[in-house]
Amino acid sequence: MNKELIEMMGKMMEQMNEMQSEMKNGFSAVNERIDGLDSKIDTGFNSMKEMLYGIGKQFELGTEQKDANIDEIKQDLKFVTHKLNSVEKDVFNLGGRQ
């Protein structure tokens, strides 16, 4: 009876070792999947950051271009105002000669 009990305990220890090994393998597989998900999340996050940076850059460039266009329009308006004033003076001078 003691021999059978010892054999049974030995088999139980073998089964427990197998279960422990399977659990380690299972945890290892789960950790690998988690690492894979972390990597995908990091990649997605980096892609989002790059997209937002690109959008910000486009907005910044658009703002700079808009400011440049406004400055150009202001210069054009100054030139037109100067020309109108000049023409007004010429018309006034012509009117005074008649």
Side-chain angles (χ1 to χ4, degrees):
M1 176 119 180
N2 283 343
K3 186 177 180 183
E4 291 174 0
L5 186 59
I6 292 173
E7 285 178 11
M8 195 164 73
M9 287 178 67
K11 287 181 183 180
M12 285 177 61
M13 288 298 287
E14 285 177 24
Q15 289 176 343
M16 286 176 61
N17 285 336
E18 286 177 22
M19 286 174 52
Q20 183 182 17
S21 179
E22 288 175 8
M23 287 173 62
K24 282 182 182 178
N25 289 339
F27 286 133
S28 179
V30 168
N31 285 336
E32 287 176 17
R33 292 187 71 184
I34 289 171
D35 289 344
L37 286 174
D38 283 346
S39 176
K40 287 179 183 179
I41 289 169
D42 288 344
T43 300
F45 182 73
N46 288 336
S47 294
M48 289 291 288
K49 278 180 25 181
E50 288 175 16
M51 284 177 21
L52 290 173
Y53 178 78
I55 290 169
K57 264 304 197 194
Q58 287 177 349
F59 178 77
E60 185 179 302
L61 291 174
T63 301
E64 289 173 6
Q65 184 62 46
K66 181 187 77 167
D67 291 345
N69 289 346
I70 289 172
D71 290 342
E72 190 176 315
I73 290 169
K74 284 180 181 177
Q75 289 298 325
D76 290 347
L77 286 173
K78 284 180 185 177
F79 178 74
V80 168
T81 302
H82 173 74
K83 284 296 183 183
L84 285 173
N85 288 336
S86 177
V87 168
E88 183 180 22
K89 285 179 186 177
D90 288 347
V91 168
F92 180 76
N93 288 337
L94 286 174
R97 289 186 186 165
Q98 291 178 351

